[in-house]
Amino acid sequence: MSEHDRTAAVTRETAETTIELTLAVDGDGDSEVDTGIGFYDHMLESFAKHGLFDLTVRCDGDLEIDDHHTVEDVAICLGEAFDEALGDKRAIRRYADRRVPLDEAVASVVVDVAGRPYYEFSGEFSQESVGEFTSVMADHFALSVAHNAGLTLHAAVERGDNAHHEVEALFKALARALDDATRIDERRSDTPSTKGEL
């Protein structure tokens, strides 16, 4: 990884999942995603599109059990990829705050790319699942990304009555906030911390 090539490739193999993931932070929003869960694929593609991240994901998971391990382990890999791609985080904007509506639903994300994992979530999902995706796994996705990317992340589903809309608004809010927070600030040459490092 160089300052001009903020990319990462992560692999993970356990008894539950086998994953290959690549990320380009400074991308065009292109994605190729195959997790075996159609709605999760749609959410990851939306995340890439709205964050302008180039993302490839291949996951072979134990879907005969449920979606938990697949959603969690892909999120772990995505968080690790952000951490690797951002390197010493020199000149990033660091903070961002986004609210995103989708019809009746509104989700919000406040993020600090601080190197200190912390996560809070508020809200609930109106239906238990969307297709083969368990709705509460959207919360667990954000938690797993935060912990593995070193993010302080406060996320919320503020309102809604359709879980598809609520989950999608949350993924889009996370994408927009991460895009904002990881952008290079041309006024800055150092790491945005009085400690000198993040």
Side-chain angles (χ1 to χ4, degrees), residues 7 12 21 24 30 72 98 103 122 139 144 156 161 169 179 182 185:
T7 63
R12 177 182 174 91
L21 182 149
D30 297 331
E72 177 180 60
R98 281 286 184 158
D103 295 350
S122 62
D139 171 21
S144 298
D161 57 35
D179 177 42
T182 59
D185 186 336

Side-chain angles (χ1 to χ4, degrees), residues 53-148:
F53 308 123
D54 291 345
L55 178 66
T56 67
V57 182
R58 295 282 177 273
C59 178
D60 181 13
D62 56 357
L63 297 178
E64 71 280 3
I65 296 175
D66 66 9
D67 60 336
H68 186 106
H69 298 141
T70 292
V71 175
E72 177 180 60
D73 289 4
V74 167
I76 288 170
C77 291
L78 183 59
E80 290 175 348
F82 269 103
D83 188 49
E84 179 183 334
L86 293 174
D88 65 4
K89 305 177 183 69
R90 184 173 300 277
I92 65 167
R93 294 182 178 178
R94 181 175 170 178
Y95 302 101
D97 180 357
R98 281 286 184 158
R99 296 177 78 225
V100 171
L102 181 55
D103 295 350
E104 87 298 341
V106 178
S108 63
V109 166
V110 181
V111 67
D112 176 6
V113 185
R116 294 190 306 276
Y118 183 84
Y119 180 73
E120 289 280 352
F121 176 79
S122 62
E124 56 188 26
F125 301 95
S126 295
Q127 288 81 40
E128 182 176 336
S129 62
V130 183
E132 299 301 312
F133 182 93
T134 306
S135 298
V136 294
M137 289 306 298
D139 171 21
H140 197 65
F141 169 85
L143 177 150
S144 298
V145 170
H147 282 186
N148 288 277

Side-chain angles (χ1 to χ4, degrees), residues 165-182:
H165 295 163
E166 293 157 357
V167 172
E168 188 166 347
L170 182 60
F171 270 77
K172 288 177 176 177
L174 179 58
R176 297 301 299 129
L178 280 174
D179 177 42
D180 289 346
T182 59

